[in-house]
Amino acid sequence: MDGGHDSYQNDKILCEGRFTRYVVACMRNCPNRQHCREFWAFFEERGITPVEYSNRNGIGESVMKRIVFDCDRCGKKDIGEPLSAYHTAGEAEGQPLQAADFAALAGRYGPLHCSEQFLGGVLHLLKDELAWEHYCEPCFRKVVAGAGTIVGRTAKATPATVSAQTPLAQALAARRAPQIPILRIEEDDPEPAEKPSPRGRPARRG
């Protein structure tokens, strides 16, 4: 523990007996809510609590919190890896994704009926106005679809072709179809001949 602040970033443990990790990284990002036994052994050996350890640099209890994301739109808890137009971890956390990374993200949850720049602008506005930055999958899909609706390029359902219908569906479609009488016009139809006048019966002769 000697060395004050300098040792804080350099302390490591053998996580789960397999992986060498920085203690400060385990305190912040461990997926195990209770942390592994190697983690707790580190502090037991030194007679200090994790909070006391983190307070050496004035960071406090926030370092002990596992990174858990909730959906900013619907409020769903612990959604795992969130969908976002921003980096959610590392040194670039909170910074916008690169254009190629954002295009790949948007393409996975399309179809995209607006430009990527427009969708990015919508997401940036939602963050600025409503502090919406992290989304669960259903909410992210709704934002993508909504951006397309704004510019009037919503997805259109493709009508089923007759060949793709079952015989029963074809029969029902035929019954529902309006019956339009067809008027046939004969061209160059000659005028009908005059009907012969009726002949009277000859009178009987007595």
Side-chain angles (χ1 to χ4, degrees), residues 9-192:
Q9 297 289 346
N10 299 324
D11 291 329
K12 299 178 182 179
I13 61 172
L14 191 61
C15 178
E16 297 182 343
R18 295 181 297 171
F19 308 106
T20 301
R21 302 194 188 282
Y22 288 103
V23 174
V24 64
C26 290
M27 295 173 74
R28 182 178 177 86
N29 301 318
C30 181
N32 180 358
R33 292 180 182 273
Q34 303 300 324
H35 298 279
C36 68
R37 61 183 179 183
E38 288 80 7
F39 175 86
W40 292 110
F42 173 87
F43 297 102
E44 289 175 3
E45 291 172 2
R46 289 159 178 76
I48 190 173
T49 67
V51 173
E52 291 171 337
Y53 178 80
S54 63
N55 274 332
R56 292 169 56 200
N57 276 14
I59 298 175
E61 290 189 42
S62 61
V63 180
M64 271 296 294
K65 294 180 180 178
R66 181 172 69 93
I67 300 302
V68 177
F69 289 102
D70 301 335
C71 179
D72 295 330
R73 181 179 182 274
C74 70
K76 183 178 179 180
K77 303 295 183 183
D78 200 358
I79 60 175
E81 184 66 26
L83 299 173
S84 177
Y86 302 86
H87 291 280
T88 57
E91 295 181 358
E93 183 177 357
Q95 298 300 314
L97 296 175
Q98 298 295 324
D101 294 334
F102 180 70
L105 174 68
R108 285 164 49 199
Y109 298 97
L112 194 62
H113 296 285
C114 63
S115 69
E116 292 160 4
Q117 293 80 3
F118 184 83
L119 174 60
V122 170
L123 289 166
H124 293 326
L125 285 172
L126 289 173
K127 181 185 179 184
D128 292 341
E129 294 292 327
L130 302 173
W132 291 359
E133 183 177 349
H134 310 110
Y135 299 88
C136 63
E137 182 175 333
C139 284
F140 191 79
R141 288 186 185 277
K142 288 178 182 178
V143 173
V144 172
T149 302
I150 291 172
V151 297
R153 298 179 188 174
T154 54
K156 296 181 179 179
T158 303
T161 61
V162 174
S163 60
Q165 295 179 350
T166 64
L168 177 59
Q170 294 181 32
L172 291 174
R175 291 180 60 183
R176 289 194 298 266
Q179 301 298 322
I180 302 175
I182 299 175
L183 178 63
R184 297 189 179 186
I185 301 176
E186 299 291 342
E187 296 182 359
D188 301 328
D189 188 16
E191 293 182 2

